[in-house]
Structure formats: C-alpha cells, structure tokens
Amino acid sequence: MRGVGQSPTVLKKEREGDFFMSKYVAEPFRIKMVEPIKMTTGEERLMKIKEADFNLFNLASEDVYIDLLTDSGTGAMSQEQWSAMFLGDEAYAGGRSYRKLIEAGRDVFNYDYIQPVHQGRAGEKILMPLLLKEGKFAVSNMHFDTTRAHVILAGGRPIDNVVPEGKLPNVRSKFKGNMDVERLEELIEEKGDKIGVIIQTITNNSAGGQPVSMKNMAEVYNIAKKYNIPLCIDAARFAENAFFIKRDEEGYRNTSIRDIVKEMFSYGDMFTMSAKKDFNVNMGGMLAIKDDKANSDLVQNIKASCINFEGFYTYGGLSGRELEAMSVGIYQGMEDSYLTYRIGQMEYLAARLDAAGVVYQSPVGGHGVYIDAKAMFPHIPYYEFPAQVLAIELYKEAGIRSCDIGSYMIGNDPDTNEQIESEFEFTRLAVPRQVYTQAHFDVMADALIAIKERASTIERGYKITWQPPILRHFQAKLDKI
C-alpha cells in the first residue's frame, strides 16, 4: 500500500483476479479555454456551509473548488457542438434544428417518435401520468430521485428491484445495476395488473452508476411482453452503459458502441432521457416511443402535454441552438476514445481509494464514484444521514461539493410520512465530462483519505429543521445534532 505522496501511476489494483496498471488515462482532447476557480480557506468553507443550512445545493458555485454535485449539464462541450449552435433555427414550429435532432435520434435509437424536452424530468412529468394513477406501481432496477417523485406525483408507488449483489458495495461483480428478474416475476404475480410500467435505468444511478447487461435487458423486456406491461428505459447514461457491455459482457468485445446502443434500445417500448449526461450538453432531453402507430393515442397525449408544459412539440422547451448541440453530442458521446478516457477517470480515483481502504460501490461505475458513507461512519444511524455527513466533510476539507444518495435523498414514506431507510448510504462524486484533470482527482482522493483518518471523531450526524413534501434534498435545511 502506498502513501498519499507516492506516484499514483505505480499503483496496482486487483480486479476480478487480474492485476493491471491503474494509470490515469490521458485526455483525448486539447484545452482551448479555461475558467478560473476560487480557492477558499477551511474557515471560509465552514462559514459558507453553515450559511447554506448544511445543504450543498444552497452553496454559491463560486464558493466551490471542485463541483461534483452532478454530471448533468456540467460538462465541457466540444468545438463541433459550439460551432453547431450558430446554426440554430429558432422557429417556433417545424424548425430545421428540430428535424436534424429527430433524424439523429431515429438513426441512433431506431424509435419512431422522438419528443425533445428541456431535460429528463420533463419527459417523466409528461409520461408518468399517462402510465400511472392511484393504486398503480412502477418497478425499476432502481428509481432515481426525479423518477421516484414523478411516479408518486402521478399517484403511483415506486418499487426498487436491483439484484442482491447490487446492494453490497464490497462485492466486486459485473453488472450490479441489473434488475432482479426472478423477483420481478414474483412482483408481477403478486400485484397483477396494478403494475403500470417497468423501468430499466441505464446505468443504474442510485445503485452507484452500475451498468445493466444486455442479457438482463432482454430478459426484462421479454417478461414485460409476456405480461403486456410497457417497458420504459431511463436512458440518461446509455453510452456509458454500452461501454461496459462492450468491455465486460461475453460476445460484445468486437461489437461497435453504435450497434450495442441499437440493440439495447430494442429491449424497450419507450424511453426518457436527460441529454445533459451522455450527449454532453448543458440543457436538453428526450422522450421517445418505439412504435408510434401501435401507440398513436399515447403519442397524441405526449404532444398535448408537451405543448402545455414545455412549449410546442417541435422545440420542447429548447432553443434551436440547444437542439443543434444535442444533434452533435448524440454521436460524440459514443466515441470509443472518449468513453475509454471517461471510465478511466473513475478507475483512477477508485484505485487510489482501494489503496487507502476507502470503501465505495465496486467495481466503479460510469459517471462517478459512490463512497460508502455507512462504512466510513458505522456509528452514525441512517436517520442522521451519514452520506450527507460525508458530503459536508468533503466540502469542509477541500471545497468539494458532492451529493447524498441515501436516506436523506430518499425521504419519507408518502403514506406514513416516516423516514425511509435507504438500501445504500452513498456520497456520490459525480464527475462532469471533460472538465477536471488528474491533479483534481488527486485532491478528491487526498480529501477522502484525510476524512477517513478522522472519521471516528465525527460522532453525530444532522437533523432536518425544514423540508418540502417531495424532493426534499434540493431545498431542505439541516442542523448539526
């Protein structure tokens, strides 16, 4: 085991029986523009987090040194995307930029109807009330926060159904984001026609950015067909999921990412997508239906809801400039060199944490590293929010903003209003695309190692002093216990 001061490039890490060099993957791009970021002192950060009521969403961005709150819309766009924005057709209806995006979407995903929306949750807001109502259930490999909220707002109830190994951070296993297929059939037999939709989230965000195998997607889709239940793909990180299938699933090593993506989407009836992830744009999303003729009423209802909530359906709440950037990003996000670098960043940070004994959801996922805060603070109970404790400590230690993916985020039971105990207590370090360098990743690792060394001195967690009724983690106010 090396010390923090040793070169990270000499570290070796064991992964499924093989040793490999955990060397930082060089960026497949040059940097043309930089944004200065402010350095703060520990005293300043302590004052700022208190002023923010210990909610990292309340911090001003200029008071954050490394921002890992989300990878959604925070990446650096390419020169081709910036150039395309000058071609934006800002027509209210039937714009050229809209048609360009639809052609690209049909080419990549092979779905008939594609509806642009301003981001993924807009697609959920439109779709979920058309599939769910009071008394209905949505079964997912795991719902993320906005998906869970829109299921509940539509009157339904979410059921998470990830494979058992997905709940064990220390267990190294491929495709820990998979749906538990056996349990899925049991749920369908138990609930009958009360299941309104099955949702496959790729990659599985709440389970640590873990991928879903092609085999699992096919199995779940066949079950959905057997019981005539619509299957919706939550597709925000589809390209990263395809990369894991190519690298780790038997039979796909020599298959292109494009072909893997097309097969993945064949195992769904519809999808919602935040394009702010794998399209690497600052704003945008999609809602799509595979067979528009068989679902003509659904498509008409989607158009009507889009006009009410987002704007006319040929722009979906987006400017022509943003539609153009999406049309370029849809292809660039699937490039092999980019995806190798992207996942390589996560592997590099994970290797440093392995050497220091910091526990995370392993193997590392696609868009971030999920630190096991329960392992870091075993003495802090779930109702004192250990993942939020670690997120706050990271900011105090090094000005790093991260996010709780645990009991604080999951919130209260919508029927009993009691605090739910999450399957995980993760602190998510979600890495923006093409933004941070190796030196920044070393700052992340050093900060986590320092916190681990003093973890036993942090005796208590936080209590909520005010919260909204849903999606509380965005706005809640907390105080130290």
Side-chain angles (χ1 to χ4, degrees):
M1 185 181 296
R2 66 176 178 81
V4 173
Q6 290 178 261
S7 171
T9 59
V10 301
L11 174 65
K12 289 186 177 182
K13 180 177 73 166
E14 187 175 7
R15 181 175 178 272
E16 297 167 355
D18 298 319
F19 285 89
F20 69 94
M21 295 300 292
S22 180
K23 186 175 181 180
Y24 188 86
V25 177
E27 287 80 1
F29 54 83
R30 288 192 293 256
I31 297 169
K32 286 191 174 182
M33 186 175 74
V34 296
E35 175 190 356
I37 48 180
K38 185 172 73 175
M39 308 286 282
T40 55
T41 66
E43 291 78 10
E44 289 172 329
R45 293 192 292 273
L46 182 59
M47 179 184 68
K48 294 295 183 183
I49 195 64
K50 285 180 178 178
E51 290 174 352
D53 294 305
F54 298 100
N55 186 336
L56 290 104
F57 285 92
N58 291 336
L59 289 169
S61 63
E62 58 266 28
D63 294 324
V64 175
Y65 176 56
I66 299 176
D67 203 341
L68 308 178
L69 186 69
T70 180
D71 62 317
S72 180
T74 56
M77 292 200 302
S78 68
Q79 62 183 5
E80 290 81 11
Q81 286 177 298
W82 283 110
S83 298
M85 292 182 76
F86 285 96
L87 303 175
D89 180 356
E90 305 302 341
Y92 186 91
R96 179 183 62 253
S97 301
Y98 163 77
R99 296 195 304 274
K100 183 177 178 180
L101 177 63
I102 300 312
E103 289 170 7
R106 287 173 176 164
D107 176 43
V108 171
F109 304 117
N110 201 28
Y111 276 43
D112 292 331
Y113 182 74
I114 293 176
Q115 175 62 63
V117 290
H118 84 271
Q119 61 184 97
R121 69 192 62 179
E124 294 167 350
K125 179 182 180 181
I126 291 168
L127 185 62
M128 290 305 155
L130 302 176
L131 302 175
L132 298 169
K133 60 183 179 181
E134 191 171 344
K136 292 279 190 177
F137 295 88
V139 181
S140 176
N141 53 341
M142 288 199 82
H143 299 80
F144 198 58
D145 55 1
T146 61
T147 320
R148 179 180 300 276
H150 283 295
V151 168
I152 294 170
L153 287 169
R157 292 295 178 260
I159 300 174
D160 290 332
N161 184 40
V162 71
V163 290
E165 59 268 29
K167 302 175 185 178
L168 303 171
N170 264 327
V171 173
R172 285 190 180 274
S173 176
K174 296 176 182 177
F175 301 109
K176 288 171 72 172
N178 280 352
M179 181 86 75
D180 186 334
V181 174
E182 183 177 340
R183 176 62 180 150
L184 176 62
E185 288 227 57
E186 291 174 357
L187 285 167
I188 295 171
E189 295 290 345
E190 175 189 326
K191 303 294 184 183
D193 61 2
K194 291 183 179 180
I195 294 181
V197 64
I198 297 169
I199 302 170
Q200 276 278 46
T201 307
I202 57 172
T203 55
N204 191 331
N205 194 350
S206 291
Q210 294 294 307
V212 178
S213 71
M214 193 76 81
K215 180 176 182 288
N216 187 252
M217 294 191 74
E219 289 174 341
V220 172
Y221 184 64
N222 289 334
I223 291 172
K225 293 295 100 182
K226 175 182 174 182
Y227 293 97
N228 197 30
I229 301 171
L231 193 149
C232 179
I233 300 173
D234 180 349
R237 298 174 179 88
F238 72 97
E240 292 170 5
N241 200 86
F243 176 88
F244 285 111
I245 289 173
K246 181 178 176 68
R247 192 188 71 179
D248 295 334
E249 189 164 0
E250 186 176 353
Y252 288 93
R253 182 65 58 88
N254 298 317
T255 308
S256 71
I257 294 291
R258 286 283 303 274
D259 287 342
I260 291 171
V261 166
K262 194 152 285 187
E263 183 180 349
M264 278 173 17
F265 281 86
S266 74
Y267 301 128
D269 300 306
M270 57 197 71
F271 71 77
T272 59
M273 177 188 293
S274 170
K276 296 163 66 178
K277 282 79 169 177
D278 278 354
F279 284 32
N280 200 18
V281 292
N282 302 129
M283 189 58 66
M286 280 184 173
L287 165 58
I289 305 297
K290 182 195 288 180
D291 187 344
D292 60 355
K293 293 181 177 63
N295 296 280
S296 58
D297 289 344
L298 179 60
V299 168
Q300 288 305 314
N301 287 329
I302 287 170
K303 286 183 176 180
S305 294
C306 182
I307 292 170
N308 288 333
F309 299 144
E310 292 285 284
F312 194 62
Y313 63 83
T314 63
Y315 72 91
L318 294 166
S319 67
R321 298 185 295 277
E322 290 161 329
L323 294 170
E324 290 283 347
M326 286 173 63
S327 300
V328 175
I330 190 173
Y331 293 106
Q332 290 188 334
M334 295 186 290
E335 292 176 358
D336 286 280
S337 60
Y338 160 73
L339 287 168
T340 300
Y341 148 77
R342 171 74 175 156
I343 308 304
Q345 285 189 317
M346 312 309 150
E347 295 278 5
Y348 174 80
L349 178 56
R352 285 214 53 196
L353 300 182
D354 280 341
V358 176
V359 182
Y360 59 92
Q361 175 67 300
S362 60
V364 73
H367 68 282
V369 179
Y370 288 57
I371 310 302
D372 186 352
K374 190 184 294 186
M376 183 84 76
F377 305 112
H379 53 286
I380 297 179
Y382 73 92
Y383 49 83
E384 293 183 12
F385 314 129
Q388 184 71 1
V389 172
L390 179 53
I392 291 167
E393 292 301 317
L394 265 173
Y395 179 71
K396 288 161 58 178
E397 179 72 29
I400 298 169
R401 177 158 65 171
S402 56
C403 180
D404 169 292
I405 307 291
S407 296
Y408 171 59
M409 185 195 79
I410 205 168
N412 298 327
D413 185 288
D415 298 312
T416 67
N417 204 37
E418 293 181 359
Q419 173 65 54
I420 300 170
E421 182 176 2
S422 175
E423 296 278 8
F424 311 105
E425 299 295 344
F426 288 145
T427 303
R428 183 185 73 172
L429 279 60
V431 179
R433 292 160 179 81
Q434 303 177 143
V435 169
Y436 292 118
T437 67
Q438 180 177 355
H440 292 113
F441 280 85
D442 285 332
V443 172
M444 299 173 206
D446 291 344
L448 285 164
I449 293 166
I451 294 167
K452 180 180 182 292
E453 290 173 352
R454 59 178 172 81
S456 61
T457 68
I458 303 167
E459 297 178 354
R460 300 294 299 274
Y462 290 82
K463 62 182 178 181
I464 295 174
T465 60
W466 176 84
Q467 59 183 307
I470 201 162
L471 289 174
R472 70 181 185 190
H473 58 294
F474 289 113
Q475 301 184 70
K477 297 179 181 180
L478 301 98
D479 202 358
K480 293 176 68 175
I481 296 175

